[in-house]
Amino acid sequence: MVRSGRILVALWVVWAATCTWGPWLVGSFSEGAGETGGSEKEETVIVIDPGHGGEDEGARGPAGTLEKAVTLEAARVLATVLQERLGLKAILTRTADYALPLEKRAALGNTSRGALFLSLHAGGAYSPQTLASRVFSLKPLLDLPADAGSPWTEDARRRRWDTLQSPFVLTSRRLAEALQASLNALFPSGQGREAKGAPLAVLMGARMPAALVELGCLVNPEEEKRLASPDYLKELAEALAGGIQAYRAETAGSIGSSGRAEVEEKG
Amino acid sequence: MRALGSEREDQEQGGAGRGFGIALAAAVVALVAVASFLLSHRWDKREDGLVPPVSAPEAPPAGEGAPKREVQLFFATPDEESLAAESREILLSDDLAEQARTTIEELIRGPLSANLLATMPPGTALREVFLDLAEGYAYVDLNQDVMRNHPGGSQAEALTVFSLVNTLTHNFHQVRRVQILIEGREAETLAGHILIQRPLSADPSWLKRG
């Protein structure tokens, strides 16, 4: 009796300690993971996410080129360009050909304390004529916690996950615009193309400015050939690096400042 | 410890209570049966392959005199940058869900104009539409081909999703959000990009400007 009493007391102490200190510990750990403030206190990490992978091949070109292979190669090239050209550290969410769930990609970026998240794709289109790169940022159009009256019930964890990107919607929009402007210079047909917003699953969990880049359109035979060439991937990577540089210069002095009115409007 | 007398009373009451209990149980069983019948008709996967007839062949007054209404269908522009409307006439059914069904079927059938592109991959078929008018939700259940035959790409996927969502919310003001289902279940995405796990609201920014 006495022994079991002691065990109970011990258990209670452990439980009480967990309740008291647990949230603080977890909080202090996750704090900072999303810090993207202007201070250069540590090395800036750019998270590059090669889209698709494993059994998820993504789009397939007429000659059989797979999107998952293009995105991985493009990510490697971009990592090198960022390191050499801008001295930025880049990490890849996927380093070989394997499947990776969408929410895991953002999670990997968050735990790496990334400053920016770029998901690379080279998807399909309805007609093979479509050319040029497109950049997207998150535009949330889903039921969020405010819609408490909705019949859609889901666990709180999932809801919180979907709102991690919310504080970054405006900065992500600026990042996407900078990347799109830089890429437009590569394509005569893409002049004036604007970045778009969409409820992109892979961006929702990112606790940092995040964008998705469709490098090109694999179903176009010409584009398929180009996307398989390392020189062309380097050209794209340099355009992306230029966009990142422009974004960083633009936001360097004004992190947290309100977005321009036009950004607000478009969002 | 209870007195013997009260125990007998209990038994007597129990007799009446048992009758009530049986009635209650019967009512519950009936309710469950009705509910499961309704649910199974609405959501069950049709494993027998008996896809419901795509254009529910009611025998409505299909003649020229039948009342019709115009709907706007949103298809992709040839540059695949945005969505543009094409009007179509559908039979004016009293049943709003029936109108929604016809509208989605027309959207799946594709544009009549050569200047627009279909946004639904080949083979896409509508399995079921269910309108929850109290909440403003439309549940649209599509077959597997919308995923399997999708060309992929964030832009093409967004055009597929918002051609459907915008078409429904534009023509049926009672519908505020659209939940896309695949073979009766929710799916994360159609091709790896746009989250369709939960009801989506329309995005007018996909409509062609000017």
Side-chain angles (χ1 to χ4, degrees), chain B residues 19-55:
Chain B
F20 176 72
I22 288 168
L24 191 72
V28 166
V29 166
L31 254 177
V32 167
V34 168
S36 64
F37 172 80
L38 285 175
L39 275 177
S40 70
H41 268 239
R42 196 161 280 160
W43 295 118
D44 256 13
K45 280 182 104 173
R46 288 177 168 78
E47 265 143 8
D48 52 5
L50 286 178
V51 178
V54 174
S55 43

PDB file of all heavy atoms in Angstrom, chain B residues 19-55:
ATOM      1  N   GLY B  19     -41.793  -2.428 -21.787  1.00  0.00           N
ATOM      2  CA  GLY B  19     -42.590  -2.137 -22.993  1.00  0.00           C
ATOM      3  C   GLY B  19     -42.113  -0.862 -23.652  1.00  0.00           C
ATOM      4  O   GLY B  19     -41.882  -0.824 -24.849  1.00  0.00           O
ATOM      5  N   PHE B  20     -41.884   0.132 -22.799  1.00  0.00           N
ATOM      6  CA  PHE B  20     -41.411   1.422 -23.326  1.00  0.00           C
ATOM      7  C   PHE B  20     -40.033   1.266 -23.968  1.00  0.00           C
ATOM      8  O   PHE B  20     -39.763   1.780 -25.050  1.00  0.00           O
ATOM      9  CB  PHE B  20     -41.354   2.430 -22.158  1.00  0.00           C
ATOM     10  CG  PHE B  20     -40.795   3.750 -22.580  1.00  0.00           C
ATOM     11  CD1 PHE B  20     -41.550   4.605 -23.391  1.00  0.00           C
ATOM     12  CD2 PHE B  20     -39.524   4.135 -22.189  1.00  0.00           C
ATOM     13  CE1 PHE B  20     -41.020   5.824 -23.775  1.00  0.00           C
ATOM     14  CE2 PHE B  20     -39.010   5.343 -22.577  1.00  0.00           C
ATOM     15  CZ  PHE B  20     -39.762   6.185 -23.367  1.00  0.00           C
ATOM     16  N   GLY B  21     -39.203   0.463 -23.255  1.00  0.00           N
ATOM     17  CA  GLY B  21     -37.838   0.227 -23.752  1.00  0.00           C
ATOM     18  C   GLY B  21     -37.858  -0.417 -25.121  1.00  0.00           C
ATOM     19  O   GLY B  21     -37.119  -0.023 -26.025  1.00  0.00           O
ATOM     20  N   ILE B  22     -38.745  -1.403 -25.287  1.00  0.00           N
ATOM     21  CA  ILE B  22     -38.806  -2.101 -26.577  1.00  0.00           C
ATOM     22  C   ILE B  22     -39.230  -1.123 -27.669  1.00  0.00           C
ATOM     23  O   ILE B  22     -38.645  -1.095 -28.756  1.00  0.00           O
ATOM     24  CB  ILE B  22     -39.795  -3.290 -26.498  1.00  0.00           C
ATOM     25  CG1 ILE B  22     -39.162  -4.395 -25.635  1.00  0.00           C
ATOM     26  CG2 ILE B  22     -40.129  -3.829 -27.876  1.00  0.00           C
ATOM     27  CD1 ILE B  22     -40.124  -5.485 -25.228  1.00  0.00           C
ATOM     28  N   ALA B  23     -40.206  -0.298 -27.322  1.00  0.00           N
ATOM     29  CA  ALA B  23     -40.678   0.687 -28.317  1.00  0.00           C
ATOM     30  C   ALA B  23     -39.531   1.623 -28.704  1.00  0.00           C
ATOM     31  O   ALA B  23     -39.308   1.911 -29.880  1.00  0.00           O
ATOM     32  CB  ALA B  23     -41.841   1.497 -27.737  1.00  0.00           C
ATOM     33  N   LEU B  24     -38.783   2.042 -27.653  1.00  0.00           N
ATOM     34  CA  LEU B  24     -37.671   2.959 -27.899  1.00  0.00           C
ATOM     35  C   LEU B  24     -36.625   2.296 -28.785  1.00  0.00           C
ATOM     36  O   LEU B  24     -36.154   2.873 -29.767  1.00  0.00           O
ATOM     37  CB  LEU B  24     -37.039   3.362 -26.552  1.00  0.00           C
ATOM     38  CG  LEU B  24     -36.033   4.517 -26.645  1.00  0.00           C
ATOM     39  CD1 LEU B  24     -36.778   5.812 -26.916  1.00  0.00           C
ATOM     40  CD2 LEU B  24     -35.229   4.621 -25.356  1.00  0.00           C
ATOM     41  N   ALA B  25     -36.295   1.049 -28.447  1.00  0.00           N
ATOM     42  CA  ALA B  25     -35.287   0.315 -29.211  1.00  0.00           C
ATOM     43  C   ALA B  25     -35.739   0.188 -30.665  1.00  0.00           C
ATOM     44  O   ALA B  25     -34.946   0.384 -31.590  1.00  0.00           O
ATOM     45  CB  ALA B  25     -35.068  -1.067 -28.596  1.00  0.00           C
ATOM     46  N   ALA B  26     -37.026  -0.123 -30.840  1.00  0.00           N
ATOM     47  CA  ALA B  26     -37.545  -0.290 -32.198  1.00  0.00           C
ATOM     48  C   ALA B  26     -37.406   1.019 -32.964  1.00  0.00           C
ATOM     49  O   ALA B  26     -36.996   1.031 -34.129  1.00  0.00           O
ATOM     50  CB  ALA B  26     -39.006  -0.723 -32.149  1.00  0.00           C
ATOM     51  N   ALA B  27     -37.709   2.109 -32.250  1.00  0.00           N
ATOM     52  CA  ALA B  27     -37.614   3.420 -32.909  1.00  0.00           C
ATOM     53  C   ALA B  27     -36.173   3.703 -33.322  1.00  0.00           C
ATOM     54  O   ALA B  27     -35.905   4.162 -34.426  1.00  0.00           O
ATOM     55  CB  ALA B  27     -38.117   4.512 -31.965  1.00  0.00           C
ATOM     56  N   VAL B  28     -35.231   3.383 -32.399  1.00  0.00           N
ATOM     57  CA  VAL B  28     -33.824   3.632 -32.691  1.00  0.00           C
ATOM     58  C   VAL B  28     -33.390   2.790 -33.890  1.00  0.00           C
ATOM     59  O   VAL B  28     -32.749   3.283 -34.824  1.00  0.00           O
ATOM     60  CB  VAL B  28     -32.944   3.310 -31.453  1.00  0.00           C
ATOM     61  CG1 VAL B  28     -31.473   3.243 -31.844  1.00  0.00           C
ATOM     62  CG2 VAL B  28     -33.161   4.360 -30.379  1.00  0.00           C
ATOM     63  N   VAL B  29     -33.784   1.511 -33.882  1.00  0.00           N
ATOM     64  CA  VAL B  29     -33.410   0.620 -34.983  1.00  0.00           C
ATOM     65  C   VAL B  29     -33.952   1.176 -36.294  1.00  0.00           C
ATOM     66  O   VAL B  29     -33.239   1.252 -37.304  1.00  0.00           O
ATOM     67  CB  VAL B  29     -33.943  -0.806 -34.736  1.00  0.00           C
ATOM     68  CG1 VAL B  29     -33.864  -1.636 -36.016  1.00  0.00           C
ATOM     69  CG2 VAL B  29     -33.139  -1.462 -33.625  1.00  0.00           C
ATOM     70  N   ALA B  30     -35.206   1.612 -36.259  1.00  0.00           N
ATOM     71  CA  ALA B  30     -35.817   2.147 -37.481  1.00  0.00           C
ATOM     72  C   ALA B  30     -35.051   3.376 -37.966  1.00  0.00           C
ATOM     73  O   ALA B  30     -34.743   3.501 -39.144  1.00  0.00           O
ATOM     74  CB  ALA B  30     -37.277   2.502 -37.212  1.00  0.00           C
ATOM     75  N   LEU B  31     -34.717   4.246 -37.018  1.00  0.00           N
ATOM     76  CA  LEU B  31     -33.977   5.468 -37.367  1.00  0.00           C
ATOM     77  C   LEU B  31     -32.642   5.136 -38.015  1.00  0.00           C
ATOM     78  O   LEU B  31     -32.284   5.672 -39.055  1.00  0.00           O
ATOM     79  CB  LEU B  31     -33.713   6.282 -36.096  1.00  0.00           C
ATOM     80  CG  LEU B  31     -34.562   7.542 -35.926  1.00  0.00           C
ATOM     81  CD1 LEU B  31     -34.251   8.210 -34.620  1.00  0.00           C
ATOM     82  CD2 LEU B  31     -34.306   8.499 -37.090  1.00  0.00           C
ATOM     83  N   VAL B  32     -31.923   4.212 -37.360  1.00  0.00           N
ATOM     84  CA  VAL B  32     -30.602   3.826 -37.865  1.00  0.00           C
ATOM     85  C   VAL B  32     -30.749   3.243 -39.270  1.00  0.00           C
ATOM     86  O   VAL B  32     -29.972   3.554 -40.178  1.00  0.00           O
ATOM     87  CB  VAL B  32     -29.931   2.809 -36.919  1.00  0.00           C
ATOM     88  CG1 VAL B  32     -28.721   2.173 -37.583  1.00  0.00           C
ATOM     89  CG2 VAL B  32     -29.524   3.499 -35.624  1.00  0.00           C
ATOM     90  N   ALA B  33     -31.775   2.414 -39.439  1.00  0.00           N
ATOM     91  CA  ALA B  33     -31.974   1.778 -40.741  1.00  0.00           C
ATOM     92  C   ALA B  33     -32.228   2.830 -41.808  1.00  0.00           C
ATOM     93  O   ALA B  33     -31.606   2.823 -42.874  1.00  0.00           O
ATOM     94  CB  ALA B  33     -33.154   0.802 -40.669  1.00  0.00           C
ATOM     95  N   VAL B  34     -33.113   3.767 -41.490  1.00  0.00           N
ATOM     96  CA  VAL B  34     -33.433   4.813 -42.470  1.00  0.00           C
ATOM     97  C   VAL B  34     -32.192   5.642 -42.778  1.00  0.00           C
ATOM     98  O   VAL B  34     -31.855   5.886 -43.929  1.00  0.00           O
ATOM     99  CB  VAL B  34     -34.563   5.731 -41.923  1.00  0.00           C
ATOM    100  CG1 VAL B  34     -34.696   6.987 -42.782  1.00  0.00           C
ATOM    101  CG2 VAL B  34     -35.879   4.962 -41.893  1.00  0.00           C
ATOM    102  N   ALA B  35     -31.471   6.011 -41.683  1.00  0.00           N
ATOM    103  CA  ALA B  35     -30.285   6.847 -41.870  1.00  0.00           C
ATOM    104  C   ALA B  35     -29.248   6.123 -42.718  1.00  0.00           C
ATOM    105  O   ALA B  35     -28.683   6.692 -43.651  1.00  0.00           O
ATOM    106  CB  ALA B  35     -29.691   7.210 -40.514  1.00  0.00           C
ATOM    107  N   SER B  36     -29.022   4.828 -42.400  1.00  0.00           N
ATOM    108  CA  SER B  36     -27.970   4.127 -43.135  1.00  0.00           C
ATOM    109  C   SER B  36     -28.397   3.900 -44.579  1.00  0.00           C
ATOM    110  O   SER B  36     -27.579   3.941 -45.493  1.00  0.00           O
ATOM    111  CB  SER B  36     -27.629   2.796 -42.457  1.00  0.00           C
ATOM    112  OG  SER B  36     -28.744   1.961 -42.497  1.00  0.00           O
ATOM    113  N   PHE B  37     -29.716   3.708 -44.794  1.00  0.00           N
ATOM    114  CA  PHE B  37     -30.212   3.567 -46.167  1.00  0.00           C
ATOM    115  C   PHE B  37     -29.927   4.839 -46.959  1.00  0.00           C
ATOM    116  O   PHE B  37     -29.357   4.811 -48.043  1.00  0.00           O
ATOM    117  CB  PHE B  37     -31.709   3.279 -46.123  1.00  0.00           C
ATOM    118  CG  PHE B  37     -32.361   3.305 -47.487  1.00  0.00           C
ATOM    119  CD1 PHE B  37     -32.260   2.223 -48.334  1.00  0.00           C
ATOM    120  CD2 PHE B  37     -33.059   4.414 -47.905  1.00  0.00           C
ATOM    121  CE1 PHE B  37     -32.840   2.243 -49.590  1.00  0.00           C
ATOM    122  CE2 PHE B  37     -33.639   4.439 -49.153  1.00  0.00           C
ATOM    123  CZ  PHE B  37     -33.529   3.352 -49.995  1.00  0.00           C
ATOM    124  N   LEU B  38     -30.263   5.973 -46.321  1.00  0.00           N
ATOM    125  CA  LEU B  38     -30.049   7.258 -46.992  1.00  0.00           C
ATOM    126  C   LEU B  38     -28.573   7.487 -47.264  1.00  0.00           C
ATOM    127  O   LEU B  38     -28.164   7.863 -48.354  1.00  0.00           O
ATOM    128  CB  LEU B  38     -30.581   8.404 -46.131  1.00  0.00           C
ATOM    129  CG  LEU B  38     -32.099   8.540 -46.100  1.00  0.00           C
ATOM    130  CD1 LEU B  38     -32.511   9.619 -45.118  1.00  0.00           C
ATOM    131  CD2 LEU B  38     -32.624   8.872 -47.498  1.00  0.00           C
ATOM    132  N   LEU B  39     -27.761   7.229 -46.212  1.00  0.00           N
ATOM    133  CA  LEU B  39     -26.330   7.472 -46.332  1.00  0.00           C
ATOM    134  C   LEU B  39     -25.719   6.597 -47.411  1.00  0.00           C
ATOM    135  O   LEU B  39     -24.937   7.055 -48.228  1.00  0.00           O
ATOM    136  CB  LEU B  39     -25.639   7.197 -44.989  1.00  0.00           C
ATOM    137  CG  LEU B  39     -25.662   8.376 -44.028  1.00  0.00           C
ATOM    138  CD1 LEU B  39     -25.027   7.972 -42.729  1.00  0.00           C
ATOM    139  CD2 LEU B  39     -24.914   9.564 -44.621  1.00  0.00           C
ATOM    140  N   SER B  40     -26.116   5.311 -47.393  1.00  0.00           N
ATOM    141  CA  SER B  40     -25.501   4.397 -48.344  1.00  0.00           C
ATOM    142  C   SER B  40     -25.868   4.811 -49.760  1.00  0.00           C
ATOM    143  O   SER B  40     -25.071   4.716 -50.681  1.00  0.00           O
ATOM    144  CB  SER B  40     -25.939   2.965 -48.078  1.00  0.00           C
ATOM    145  OG  SER B  40     -27.292   2.824 -48.420  1.00  0.00           O
ATOM    146  N   HIS B  41     -27.083   5.331 -49.906  1.00  0.00           N
ATOM    147  CA  HIS B  41     -27.471   5.751 -51.246  1.00  0.00           C
ATOM    148  C   HIS B  41     -26.719   6.980 -51.688  1.00  0.00           C
ATOM    149  O   HIS B  41     -26.490   7.193 -52.860  1.00  0.00           O
ATOM    150  CB  HIS B  41     -28.976   6.008 -51.288  1.00  0.00           C
ATOM    151  CG  HIS B  41     -29.708   4.774 -51.701  1.00  0.00           C
ATOM    152  ND1 HIS B  41     -30.499   4.737 -52.794  1.00  0.00           N
ATOM    153  CD2 HIS B  41     -29.684   3.530 -51.176  1.00  0.00           C
ATOM    154  CE1 HIS B  41     -30.978   3.504 -52.926  1.00  0.00           C
ATOM    155  NE2 HIS B  41     -30.503   2.781 -51.947  1.00  0.00           N
ATOM    156  N   ARG B  42     -26.356   7.770 -50.689  1.00  0.00           N
ATOM    157  CA  ARG B  42     -25.705   9.024 -51.030  1.00  0.00           C
ATOM    158  C   ARG B  42     -24.207   8.862 -51.220  1.00  0.00           C
ATOM    159  O   ARG B  42     -23.613   9.403 -52.103  1.00  0.00           O
ATOM    160  CB  ARG B  42     -25.978  10.035 -49.912  1.00  0.00           C
ATOM    161  CG  ARG B  42     -25.690  11.436 -50.308  1.00  0.00           C
ATOM    162  CD  ARG B  42     -26.401  12.379 -49.386  1.00  0.00           C
ATOM    163  NE  ARG B  42     -27.785  12.541 -49.716  1.00  0.00           N
ATOM    164  CZ  ARG B  42     -28.687  12.996 -48.845  1.00  0.00           C
ATOM    165  NH1 ARG B  42     -28.352  13.258 -47.633  1.00  0.00           N
ATOM    166  NH2 ARG B  42     -29.926  13.158 -49.225  1.00  0.00           N
ATOM    167  N   TRP B  43     -23.572   8.122 -50.334  1.00  0.00           N
ATOM    168  CA  TRP B  43     -22.106   8.168 -50.305  1.00  0.00           C
ATOM    169  C   TRP B  43     -21.407   6.863 -50.683  1.00  0.00           C
ATOM    170  O   TRP B  43     -20.241   6.879 -51.001  1.00  0.00           O
ATOM    171  CB  TRP B  43     -21.624   8.554 -48.889  1.00  0.00           C
ATOM    172  CG  TRP B  43     -22.040   9.922 -48.518  1.00  0.00           C
ATOM    173  CD1 TRP B  43     -22.854  10.258 -47.481  1.00  0.00           C
ATOM    174  CD2 TRP B  43     -21.698  11.144 -49.167  1.00  0.00           C
ATOM    175  NE1 TRP B  43     -23.026  11.604 -47.456  1.00  0.00           N
ATOM    176  CE2 TRP B  43     -22.334  12.174 -48.483  1.00  0.00           C
ATOM    177  CE3 TRP B  43     -20.907  11.455 -50.270  1.00  0.00           C
ATOM    178  CZ2 TRP B  43     -22.218  13.498 -48.842  1.00  0.00           C
ATOM    179  CZ3 TRP B  43     -20.798  12.779 -50.633  1.00  0.00           C
ATOM    180  CH2 TRP B  43     -21.452  13.772 -49.920  1.00  0.00           C
ATOM    181  N   ASP B  44     -22.094   5.762 -50.559  1.00  0.00           N
ATOM    182  CA  ASP B  44     -21.381   4.492 -50.734  1.00  0.00           C
ATOM    183  C   ASP B  44     -20.681   4.401 -52.073  1.00  0.00           C
ATOM    184  O   ASP B  44     -21.177   4.847 -53.087  1.00  0.00           O
ATOM    185  CB  ASP B  44     -22.353   3.324 -50.597  1.00  0.00           C
ATOM    186  CG  ASP B  44     -22.192   2.646 -49.259  1.00  0.00           C
ATOM    187  OD1 ASP B  44     -21.527   3.232 -48.383  1.00  0.00           O
ATOM    188  OD2 ASP B  44     -22.706   1.561 -49.093  1.00  0.00           O
ATOM    189  N   LYS B  45     -19.496   3.796 -52.037  1.00  0.00           N
ATOM    190  CA  LYS B  45     -18.824   3.524 -53.302  1.00  0.00           C
ATOM    191  C   LYS B  45     -19.650   2.475 -54.018  1.00  0.00           C
ATOM    192  O   LYS B  45     -20.104   1.519 -53.415  1.00  0.00           O
ATOM    193  CB  LYS B  45     -17.432   2.944 -53.031  1.00  0.00           C
ATOM    194  CG  LYS B  45     -16.418   3.981 -52.690  1.00  0.00           C
ATOM    195  CD  LYS B  45     -15.086   3.320 -52.493  1.00  0.00           C
ATOM    196  CE  LYS B  45     -14.205   3.541 -53.677  1.00  0.00           C
ATOM    197  NZ  LYS B  45     -12.851   3.077 -53.481  1.00  0.00           N
ATOM    198  N   ARG B  46     -19.840   2.674 -55.273  1.00  0.00           N
ATOM    199  CA  ARG B  46     -20.575   1.663 -56.018  1.00  0.00           C
ATOM    200  C   ARG B  46     -19.596   0.627 -56.521  1.00  0.00           C
ATOM    201  O   ARG B  46     -19.019   0.760 -57.589  1.00  0.00           O
ATOM    202  CB  ARG B  46     -21.326   2.327 -57.161  1.00  0.00           C
ATOM    203  CG  ARG B  46     -22.487   3.118 -56.641  1.00  0.00           C
ATOM    204  CD  ARG B  46     -23.187   3.846 -57.745  1.00  0.00           C
ATOM    205  NE  ARG B  46     -24.460   4.372 -57.294  1.00  0.00           N
ATOM    206  CZ  ARG B  46     -24.571   5.461 -56.560  1.00  0.00           C
ATOM    207  NH1 ARG B  46     -23.520   6.107 -56.199  1.00  0.00           N
ATOM    208  NH2 ARG B  46     -25.770   5.889 -56.194  1.00  0.00           N
ATOM    209  N   GLU B  47     -19.409  -0.394 -55.680  1.00  0.00           N
ATOM    210  CA  GLU B  47     -18.416  -1.396 -56.033  1.00  0.00           C
ATOM    211  C   GLU B  47     -18.917  -2.303 -57.153  1.00  0.00           C
ATOM    212  O   GLU B  47     -18.149  -2.975 -57.808  1.00  0.00           O
ATOM    213  CB  GLU B  47     -18.019  -2.214 -54.801  1.00  0.00           C
ATOM    214  CG  GLU B  47     -16.771  -1.646 -54.144  1.00  0.00           C
ATOM    215  CD  GLU B  47     -16.818  -1.725 -52.631  1.00  0.00           C
ATOM    216  OE1 GLU B  47     -17.747  -2.357 -52.098  1.00  0.00           O
ATOM    217  OE2 GLU B  47     -15.932  -1.157 -52.007  1.00  0.00           O
ATOM    218  N   ASP B  48     -20.225  -2.294 -57.329  1.00  0.00           N
ATOM    219  CA  ASP B  48     -20.767  -3.122 -58.405  1.00  0.00           C
ATOM    220  C   ASP B  48     -20.537  -2.470 -59.767  1.00  0.00           C
ATOM    221  O   ASP B  48     -20.885  -3.039 -60.787  1.00  0.00           O
ATOM    222  CB  ASP B  48     -22.262  -3.349 -58.184  1.00  0.00           C
ATOM    223  CG  ASP B  48     -22.996  -2.048 -57.975  1.00  0.00           C
ATOM    224  OD1 ASP B  48     -22.359  -0.980 -58.103  1.00  0.00           O
ATOM    225  OD2 ASP B  48     -24.186  -2.076 -57.692  1.00  0.00           O
ATOM    226  N   GLY B  49     -19.916  -1.279 -59.750  1.00  0.00           N
ATOM    227  CA  GLY B  49     -19.627  -0.609 -61.009  1.00  0.00           C
ATOM    228  C   GLY B  49     -20.857   0.032 -61.622  1.00  0.00           C
ATOM    229  O   GLY B  49     -20.806   0.538 -62.723  1.00  0.00           O
ATOM    230  N   LEU B  50     -21.949  -0.004 -60.891  1.00  0.00           N
ATOM    231  CA  LEU B  50     -23.163   0.608 -61.426  1.00  0.00           C
ATOM    232  C   LEU B  50     -23.116   2.104 -61.195  1.00  0.00           C
ATOM    233  O   LEU B  50     -23.680   2.613 -60.246  1.00  0.00           O
ATOM    234  CB  LEU B  50     -24.405   0.015 -60.749  1.00  0.00           C
ATOM    235  CG  LEU B  50     -24.779  -1.391 -61.185  1.00  0.00           C
ATOM    236  CD1 LEU B  50     -25.982  -1.867 -60.405  1.00  0.00           C
ATOM    237  CD2 LEU B  50     -25.078  -1.433 -62.677  1.00  0.00           C
ATOM    238  N   VAL B  51     -22.407   2.775 -62.050  1.00  0.00           N
ATOM    239  CA  VAL B  51     -22.334   4.228 -61.939  1.00  0.00           C
ATOM    240  C   VAL B  51     -23.722   4.780 -62.229  1.00  0.00           C
ATOM    241  O   VAL B  51     -24.378   4.320 -63.160  1.00  0.00           O
ATOM    242  CB  VAL B  51     -21.312   4.781 -62.948  1.00  0.00           C
ATOM    243  CG1 VAL B  51     -21.252   6.291 -62.879  1.00  0.00           C
ATOM    244  CG2 VAL B  51     -19.945   4.173 -62.686  1.00  0.00           C
ATOM    245  N   PRO B  52     -24.167   5.707 -61.409  1.00  0.00           N
ATOM    246  CA  PRO B  52     -25.506   6.232 -61.650  1.00  0.00           C
ATOM    247  C   PRO B  52     -25.566   6.871 -63.026  1.00  0.00           C
ATOM    248  O   PRO B  52     -24.585   7.478 -63.455  1.00  0.00           O
ATOM    249  CB  PRO B  52     -25.675   7.288 -60.563  1.00  0.00           C
ATOM    250  CG  PRO B  52     -24.295   7.613 -60.115  1.00  0.00           C
ATOM    251  CD  PRO B  52     -23.490   6.376 -60.321  1.00  0.00           C
ATOM    252  N   PRO B  53     -26.643   6.714 -63.712  1.00  0.00           N
ATOM    253  CA  PRO B  53     -26.756   7.261 -65.067  1.00  0.00           C
ATOM    254  C   PRO B  53     -26.376   8.728 -65.054  1.00  0.00           C
ATOM    255  O   PRO B  53     -26.886   9.499 -64.234  1.00  0.00           O
ATOM    256  CB  PRO B  53     -28.231   7.093 -65.419  1.00  0.00           C
ATOM    257  CG  PRO B  53     -28.914   6.751 -64.140  1.00  0.00           C
ATOM    258  CD  PRO B  53     -27.899   6.117 -63.266  1.00  0.00           C
ATOM    259  N   VAL B  54     -25.470   9.087 -65.910  1.00  0.00           N
ATOM    260  CA  VAL B  54     -24.868  10.409 -65.845  1.00  0.00           C
ATOM    261  C   VAL B  54     -25.908  11.510 -66.005  1.00  0.00           C
ATOM    262  O   VAL B  54     -25.971  12.426 -65.221  1.00  0.00           O
ATOM    263  CB  VAL B  54     -23.765  10.548 -66.901  1.00  0.00           C
ATOM    264  CG1 VAL B  54     -23.246  11.974 -66.911  1.00  0.00           C
ATOM    265  CG2 VAL B  54     -22.637   9.570 -66.601  1.00  0.00           C
ATOM    266  N   SER B  55     -26.738  11.388 -66.989  1.00  0.00           N
ATOM    267  CA  SER B  55     -27.784  12.397 -67.106  1.00  0.00           C
ATOM    268  C   SER B  55     -29.081  11.735 -66.667  1.00  0.00           C
ATOM    269  O   SER B  55     -29.736  11.078 -67.459  1.00  0.00           O
ATOM    270  CB  SER B  55     -27.894  12.895 -68.536  1.00  0.00           C
ATOM    271  OG  SER B  55     -27.814  11.806 -69.418  1.00  0.00           O
TER     272      SER B  55
END
